Amino acid sequence: MILRIFISYACWFLVVNTLFARTPAHSGKRFSSLQLSITHMMGAQPLVRKNVSYTTPSGEVFTISRFRYFLSNFSLENTNDSIITLPPAYFLVDDAIDSSKIIRLDSVPAGQYKSIRFLVGVDSARNVSGVQSGALAVETGMFWTWNSGYIMAQMEGHSNAIASPTQEFLFHTGGYKMANGVLKYVTLPFPQSLTVDGKPSQINMTADVGKWFSPDTISFKQVAVVMAPGINARRIAANYQHMFTITSISN
Protein backbone atom coordinates (compact mmCIF):
# COMPACT_ATOMS: atom_id res chain seq x y z
CA MET A 1 0.00 0.00 0.00
CA ILE A 2 2.79 2.39 0.97
CA LEU A 3 4.69 1.46 -2.21
CA ARG A 4 1.60 2.18 -4.32
CA ILE A 5 1.17 5.62 -2.72
CA PHE A 6 4.84 6.39 -3.27
CA ILE A 7 4.65 5.44 -6.95
CA SER A 8 1.50 7.55 -7.45
CA TYR A 9 3.17 10.54 -5.79
CA ALA A 10 6.30 10.09 -7.89
CA CYS A 11 4.24 9.99 -11.10
CA TRP A 12 2.33 13.13 -10.06
CA PHE A 13 5.58 14.94 -9.27
CA LEU A 14 7.05 13.94 -12.65
CA VAL A 15 3.98 15.25 -14.54
CA VAL A 16 3.96 18.57 -12.66
CA ASN A 17 7.70 19.01 -13.06
CA THR A 18 7.42 18.33 -16.80
CA LEU A 19 4.66 20.90 -17.22
CA PHE A 20 6.66 23.57 -15.46
CA ALA A 21 9.74 22.69 -17.47
CA ARG A 22 7.77 23.37 -20.65
CA THR A 23 6.56 26.75 -19.49
CA PRO A 24 8.33 29.45 -21.58
CA ALA A 25 10.91 31.43 -19.66
CA HIS A 26 9.28 34.69 -20.81
CA SER A 27 5.79 33.74 -19.61
CA GLY A 28 6.04 36.26 -16.78
CA LYS A 29 6.94 39.14 -19.11
CA ARG A 30 4.41 41.94 -19.41
CA PHE A 31 2.96 42.87 -22.78
CA SER A 32 0.97 45.83 -24.03
CA SER A 33 -0.42 47.33 -27.22
CA LEU A 34 1.12 50.03 -29.36
CA GLN A 35 -0.98 52.26 -31.61
CA LEU A 36 0.24 54.01 -34.76
CA SER A 37 -1.75 57.02 -35.92
CA ILE A 38 -0.95 58.00 -39.52
CA THR A 39 -1.75 61.37 -41.11
CA HIS A 40 -1.39 61.72 -44.88
CA MET A 41 0.20 64.97 -45.98
CA MET A 42 1.14 66.77 -49.15
CA GLY A 43 4.13 68.74 -48.03
CA ALA A 44 3.06 70.82 -45.01
CA GLN A 45 -0.69 70.40 -45.59
CA PRO A 46 -3.03 67.45 -44.97
CA LEU A 47 -3.82 65.49 -48.12
CA VAL A 48 -7.21 66.27 -49.68
CA ARG A 49 -8.27 63.89 -52.42
CA LYS A 50 -10.17 64.94 -55.56
CA ASN A 51 -10.89 68.56 -54.64
CA VAL A 52 -7.42 70.04 -54.19
CA SER A 53 -4.77 70.36 -56.90
CA TYR A 54 -1.07 69.85 -56.27
CA THR A 55 2.08 70.42 -58.32
CA THR A 56 4.89 67.93 -58.88
CA PRO A 57 8.58 68.96 -58.72
CA SER A 58 8.51 68.99 -62.54
CA GLY A 59 5.69 71.58 -62.51
CA GLU A 60 2.75 69.31 -63.44
CA VAL A 61 -0.59 70.00 -61.77
CA PHE A 62 -2.54 66.96 -60.53
CA THR A 63 -5.24 65.70 -58.18
CA ILE A 64 -5.33 62.44 -56.24
CA SER A 65 -8.43 60.25 -56.16
CA ARG A 66 -7.03 57.12 -54.44
CA PHE A 67 -4.12 56.46 -52.10
CA ARG A 68 -3.45 53.05 -50.49
CA TYR A 69 -0.52 50.94 -49.31
CA PHE A 70 0.37 47.91 -47.19
CA LEU A 71 2.40 47.99 -43.97
CA SER A 72 3.69 44.80 -42.35
CA ASN A 73 6.60 43.04 -40.60
CA PHE A 74 6.89 45.38 -37.62
CA SER A 75 9.77 45.32 -35.18
CA LEU A 76 11.14 47.58 -32.45
CA GLU A 77 14.69 48.38 -31.38
CA ASN A 78 15.13 48.77 -27.64
CA THR A 79 17.63 51.00 -25.88
CA ASN A 80 19.95 48.01 -25.48
CA ASP A 81 20.18 47.78 -29.30
CA SER A 82 18.20 44.53 -29.40
CA ILE A 83 15.61 44.00 -32.15
CA ILE A 84 12.21 42.83 -30.93
CA THR A 85 10.22 41.25 -33.75
CA LEU A 86 6.46 41.66 -33.25
CA PRO A 87 3.87 39.02 -34.22
CA PRO A 88 3.06 38.92 -37.96
CA ALA A 89 0.46 41.54 -38.91
CA TYR A 90 -0.60 43.03 -42.25
CA PHE A 91 -2.44 46.32 -42.66
CA LEU A 92 -3.95 48.00 -45.72
CA VAL A 93 -3.89 51.76 -45.15
CA ASP A 94 -6.50 53.60 -47.26
CA ASP A 95 -6.78 57.39 -47.19
CA ALA A 96 -10.53 57.04 -47.81
CA ILE A 97 -10.99 54.96 -44.63
CA ASP A 98 -10.01 56.86 -41.48
CA SER A 99 -10.02 53.73 -39.30
CA SER A 100 -7.35 52.13 -41.51
CA LYS A 101 -4.94 54.93 -40.54
CA ILE A 102 -5.02 53.73 -36.93
CA ILE A 103 -2.84 50.63 -36.60
CA ARG A 104 -2.81 48.57 -33.42
CA LEU A 105 0.18 46.37 -32.70
CA ASP A 106 -0.41 43.79 -29.96
CA SER A 107 1.91 41.67 -27.82
CA VAL A 108 4.57 44.37 -27.48
CA PRO A 109 6.94 43.41 -24.62
CA ALA A 110 7.42 45.94 -21.84
CA GLY A 111 10.61 47.93 -22.27
CA GLN A 112 12.31 51.08 -23.50
CA TYR A 113 12.44 51.51 -27.27
CA LYS A 114 14.24 53.93 -29.57
CA SER A 115 13.02 53.09 -33.09
CA ILE A 116 10.46 51.18 -35.13
CA ARG A 117 10.94 49.24 -38.35
CA PHE A 118 8.34 48.04 -40.85
CA LEU A 119 7.90 46.89 -44.41
CA VAL A 120 6.02 48.92 -47.02
CA GLY A 121 4.32 46.08 -48.85
CA VAL A 122 3.68 42.36 -48.38
CA ASP A 123 6.65 40.03 -47.91
CA SER A 124 7.49 37.43 -50.55
CA ALA A 125 6.30 34.50 -48.41
CA ARG A 126 2.77 35.88 -48.24
CA ASN A 127 2.78 36.60 -51.96
CA VAL A 128 2.98 32.87 -52.65
CA SER A 129 0.83 31.58 -49.77
CA GLY A 130 -2.40 31.11 -51.70
CA VAL A 131 -5.80 32.62 -51.01
CA GLN A 132 -5.80 34.75 -47.84
CA SER A 133 -8.25 36.83 -45.82
CA GLY A 134 -8.51 40.18 -44.05
CA ALA A 135 -6.25 42.92 -45.38
CA LEU A 136 -4.66 40.38 -47.75
CA ALA A 137 -7.92 39.20 -49.34
CA VAL A 138 -7.92 39.48 -53.13
CA GLU A 139 -11.27 41.31 -52.89
CA THR A 140 -9.45 44.45 -51.76
CA GLY A 141 -8.31 44.98 -55.35
CA MET A 142 -4.66 45.06 -54.25
CA PHE A 143 -3.66 41.79 -55.88
CA TRP A 144 -2.62 41.06 -59.47
CA THR A 145 -1.89 37.35 -60.00
CA TRP A 146 -0.06 34.55 -58.20
CA ASN A 147 2.90 35.32 -60.46
CA SER A 148 3.04 39.10 -59.95
CA GLY A 149 1.70 39.16 -56.39
CA TYR A 150 0.34 42.05 -54.37
CA ILE A 151 0.14 45.71 -55.29
CA MET A 152 2.30 47.11 -52.49
CA ALA A 153 1.19 50.72 -52.89
CA GLN A 154 -1.30 52.52 -55.07
CA MET A 155 -1.94 56.11 -56.14
CA GLU A 156 -4.48 57.22 -58.74
CA GLY A 157 -5.59 60.61 -59.99
CA HIS A 158 -5.64 63.04 -62.89
CA SER A 159 -3.31 65.58 -64.46
CA ASN A 160 -3.70 67.89 -67.45
CA ALA A 161 -0.08 67.02 -68.30
CA ILE A 162 -1.26 63.58 -69.45
CA ALA A 163 -2.10 63.30 -73.14
CA SER A 164 -4.71 60.52 -72.86
CA PRO A 165 -8.44 61.40 -73.16
CA THR A 166 -9.07 60.64 -69.50
CA GLN A 167 -5.90 62.41 -68.29
CA GLU A 168 -5.72 59.71 -65.63
CA PHE A 169 -2.59 58.36 -63.96
CA LEU A 170 -2.42 54.94 -62.30
CA PHE A 171 0.58 54.16 -60.12
CA HIS A 172 0.27 50.56 -58.88
CA THR A 173 3.67 49.45 -57.59
CA GLY A 174 4.30 45.75 -57.19
CA GLY A 175 6.92 43.07 -57.53
CA TYR A 176 8.28 40.74 -54.85
CA LYS A 177 10.85 38.83 -56.89
CA MET A 178 14.43 40.01 -56.61
CA ALA A 179 14.86 41.40 -60.15
CA ASN A 180 11.83 43.68 -59.90
CA GLY A 181 11.30 43.84 -56.15
CA VAL A 182 9.75 46.97 -54.66
CA LEU A 183 9.65 45.80 -51.03
CA LYS A 184 11.08 48.55 -48.83
CA TYR A 185 11.94 48.41 -45.14
CA VAL A 186 11.67 51.69 -43.26
CA THR A 187 13.36 52.43 -39.92
CA LEU A 188 12.21 55.49 -37.97
CA PRO A 189 13.91 56.74 -34.80
CA PHE A 190 11.73 58.02 -31.97
CA PRO A 191 12.12 61.67 -30.92
CA GLN A 192 12.55 60.35 -27.37
CA SER A 193 12.57 56.98 -25.70
CA LEU A 194 9.27 55.11 -25.90
CA THR A 195 8.23 53.36 -22.70
CA VAL A 196 6.01 50.30 -22.97
CA ASP A 197 4.95 49.31 -19.46
CA GLY A 198 1.53 47.71 -19.64
CA LYS A 199 -0.37 50.81 -20.67
CA PRO A 200 -1.27 51.55 -24.33
CA SER A 201 1.27 53.78 -26.07
CA GLN A 202 0.88 55.78 -29.29
CA ILE A 203 3.13 56.81 -32.15
CA ASN A 204 1.97 59.71 -34.30
CA MET A 205 3.43 59.74 -37.78
CA THR A 206 2.93 61.33 -41.17
CA ALA A 207 3.18 60.02 -44.72
CA ASP A 208 4.08 62.74 -47.22
CA VAL A 209 2.51 61.80 -50.57
CA GLY A 210 4.73 64.31 -52.36
CA LYS A 211 7.70 62.01 -51.76
CA TRP A 212 6.38 59.72 -54.50
CA PHE A 213 7.68 62.19 -57.08
CA SER A 214 11.25 62.81 -55.85
CA PRO A 215 14.23 62.67 -55.50
CA ASP A 216 14.02 60.50 -58.63
CA THR A 217 11.75 62.89 -60.53
CA ILE A 218 8.55 61.24 -61.71
CA SER A 219 6.84 63.09 -64.57
CA PHE A 220 3.37 62.28 -65.87
CA LYS A 221 4.55 63.17 -69.37
CA GLN A 222 7.08 60.33 -69.18
CA VAL A 223 5.03 57.76 -67.26
CA ALA A 224 1.34 57.91 -66.40
CA VAL A 225 0.54 54.22 -65.98
CA VAL A 226 2.40 51.68 -63.84
CA MET A 227 0.44 48.43 -63.66
CA ALA A 228 3.12 45.74 -63.52
CA PRO A 229 6.52 45.06 -61.92
CA GLY A 230 9.37 46.84 -63.66
CA ILE A 231 11.74 49.75 -63.64
CA ASN A 232 9.11 52.48 -63.10
CA ALA A 233 7.59 50.63 -60.14
CA ARG A 234 11.07 50.36 -58.64
CA ARG A 235 11.72 54.08 -59.19
CA ILE A 236 8.50 55.09 -57.43
CA ALA A 237 9.07 52.69 -54.54
CA ALA A 238 12.59 54.03 -54.06
CA ASN A 239 10.98 57.45 -53.65
CA TYR A 240 8.06 56.63 -51.37
CA GLN A 241 10.14 54.69 -48.86
CA HIS A 242 11.12 58.17 -47.59
CA MET A 243 7.56 59.46 -47.04
CA PHE A 244 7.21 58.46 -43.37
CA THR A 245 8.12 60.65 -40.39
CA ILE A 246 7.38 60.25 -36.70
CA THR A 247 6.04 63.52 -35.27
CA SER A 248 5.49 62.55 -31.62
CA ILE A 249 5.02 59.65 -29.21
CA SER A 250 2.93 59.35 -26.08
CA ASN A 251 3.68 56.87 -23.29
Side-chain angles (χ1 to χ4, degrees), residues 141-185:
M142 293 289 283
F143 190 82
W144 281 325
T145 67
W146 302 119
N147 185 52
S148 297
Y150 283 92
I151 299 169
M152 311 303 179
Q154 181 184 76
M155 183 194 295
E156 299 177 358
H158 297 81
S159 173
N160 57 16
I162 299 172
S164 70
T166 63
Q167 297 188 320
E168 183 178 27
F169 70 88
L170 302 169
F171 289 166
H172 295 191
T173 63
Y176 65 91
K177 298 177 181 179
M178 187 172 295
N180 286 309
V182 299
L183 293 170
K184 299 295 181 182
Y185 275 99

Side-chain angles (χ1 to χ4, degrees), residues 9 21 30 38 43 47 51 68 72 74 85 104 116 134 137 144-145 162 176 184 208 211 232 238 249 251:
Y9 178 80
R30 290 180 299 147
I38 305 173
L47 174 67
N51 298 322
R68 304 193 292 177
S72 65
F74 288 86
T85 301
R104 178 187 169 100
I116 188 169
W144 281 325
T145 67
I162 299 172
Y176 65 91
K184 299 295 181 182
D208 184 354
K211 297 294 186 181
N232 287 321
I249 62 174
N251 294 313

Side-chain angles (χ1 to χ4, degrees), residues 173-243:
T173 63
Y176 65 91
K177 298 177 181 179
M178 187 172 295
N180 286 309
V182 299
L183 293 170
K184 299 295 181 182
Y185 275 99
V186 175
T187 300
L188 300 175
F190 297 142
Q192 71 263 10
S193 178
L194 172 68
T195 302
V196 175
D197 59 1
K199 299 180 297 183
S201 302
Q202 179 163 310
I203 300 172
N204 299 308
M205 55 191 292
T206 61
D208 184 354
V209 185
K211 297 294 186 181
W212 281 54
F213 300 95
S214 65
D216 186 351
T217 301
I218 302 298
S219 169
F220 296 124
K221 293 179 181 178
Q222 297 174 354
V223 54
V225 177
V226 177
M227 297 285 284
I231 185 171
N232 287 321
R234 298 200 307 271
R235 291 176 60 208
I236 293 172
N239 282 344
Y240 67 53
Q241 67 177 316
H242 303 295
M243 69 178 172

Side-chain angles (χ1 to χ4, degrees), residues 80-108:
N80 294 323
D81 300 325
S82 296
I83 303 299
I84 308 300
T85 301
L86 300 183
Y90 299 81
F91 302 91
L92 176 56
V93 182
D94 188 335
D95 188 68
I97 303 174
D98 288 341
S99 61
S100 74
K101 290 176 276 186
I102 303 295
I103 291 176
R104 178 187 169 100
L105 302 175
D106 292 315
S107 300
V108 180

